[in-house]
Amino acid sequence: KQSNQPSPALGAMTSVAGIMENADLEEAGPLYEEFVQNMRAHAILFLLIDAKPERFFKDLIVSGFAWRQYLQRCAESKYRDYCCALSRFDSFFDAIAGDHVELALEISGLGPANWMKGDEYEEDFCWVRFLSVFARHGNAAGGELDKLIQRSETAMQGLPSGRLEVCRALRSEDSDAFQVAFGELVRDWEAECEGVESRAEEEPLV
């Protein structure tokens, strides 16, 4: 049943937003992460329940703006902890999916250009870094893109990876290879989801 009244979930997220804006940076990172993850889940529900893609896009863009705010606060205070690791920039993808590429580039531009060893896996860093560089410069940044692919290959130690294949296909500008690689990426995600179904009640995004 549809209603014009604000949902309890949205009201709760609005309260979280107020708390995280006033929290010290040492405590703010996890709050921002929880907010953007819940906005993503909220966006998906608008598609599954109400079939409203415009609300889906809106929530994803809100996620992007929230994470940008966190990164701007960190930049202004010259603060960085594990939450700033590039591999945690899921809101970069939210902005892309919400068709706000300019926002996505702002988010990636506020992130670290180097791997935060100990706070993230190197292959995860290479994945987000490759796509952020590619989104900004395309294959004009060929040298850096090639190095990131090589680093990812080394980090993966020969294991199959849909993400790595997507990067290779983008680098070679091969649309057929990209279709195959994207299919592998989806299968990787499906396999990951199968392993977290038991957490569905505790984690809204699942």
Side-chain angles (χ1 to χ4, degrees):
K1 183 178 179 180
Q2 296 184 5
S3 171
N4 292 325
Q5 298 298 318
S7 70
L10 186 57
M13 285 187 283
T14 302
S15 297
V16 171
I19 294 171
M20 68 191 187
E21 288 176 1
N22 295 310
D24 293 336
L25 282 176
E26 292 80 0
E27 302 173 348
L31 294 174
Y32 277 91
E33 280 198 324
E34 180 181 2
F35 178 81
V36 299
Q37 289 170 359
N38 287 340
M39 286 304 299
R40 196 171 304 124
H42 202 248
I44 292 168
L45 286 173
F46 270 121
L47 282 183
L48 296 179
I49 297 176
D50 292 335
K52 291 184 176 180
E54 69 280 1
R55 294 303 300 270
F56 171 76
F57 294 136
K58 181 179 179 180
D59 279 0
L60 292 182
I61 291 171
V62 168
S63 167
F65 276 117
W67 197 246
R68 186 189 69 172
Q69 181 189 66
Y70 170 65
L71 295 174
Q72 288 174 332
R73 289 182 60 190
C74 289
E76 291 169 359
S77 300
K78 297 182 179 179
Y79 175 82
R80 180 167 292 175
D81 66 6
Y82 71 96
C83 287
C84 297
L86 198 64
S87 61
R88 305 177 84 92
F89 279 33
D90 286 345
S91 291
F92 165 79
F93 296 98
D94 291 341
I96 292 288
D99 197 25
H100 201 322
V101 177
E102 181 180 351
L103 175 60
L105 294 178
E106 286 188 71
I107 292 170
S108 65
L110 288 165
N114 300 310
W115 173 38
M116 292 177 62
K117 187 176 181 179
D119 290 321
E120 60 183 339
Y121 292 112
E122 187 172 12
E123 60 268 27
D124 294 341
F125 163 80
C126 291
W127 164 243
V128 181
R129 178 65 182 170
F130 180 97
L131 292 177
S132 63
V133 171
F134 188 85
R136 187 176 299 275
H137 303 292
N139 270 319
E144 182 175 1
L145 296 177
D146 289 339
K147 288 179 181 178
L148 288 167
I149 289 176
Q150 291 169 3
R151 284 182 66 180
S152 186
E153 290 172 344
T154 301
M156 290 299 298
Q157 299 181 337
L159 294 174
S161 168
R163 298 193 304 188
L164 182 54
E165 294 305 318
V166 165
C167 292
R168 288 171 175 159
L170 289 171
R171 179 71 182 97
S172 63
E173 299 183 359
D174 187 331
S175 59
D176 292 335
F178 179 84
Q179 292 296 330
V180 174
F182 193 80
E184 293 180 14
L185 185 68
V186 171
R187 286 189 289 274
D188 288 349
W189 177 244
E190 289 174 341
E192 183 175 343
C193 286
E194 289 177 1
V196 298
E197 285 180 354
S198 61
R199 305 203 310 264
E201 292 184 359
E202 290 79 24
E203 299 185 22
L205 184 56
V206 176

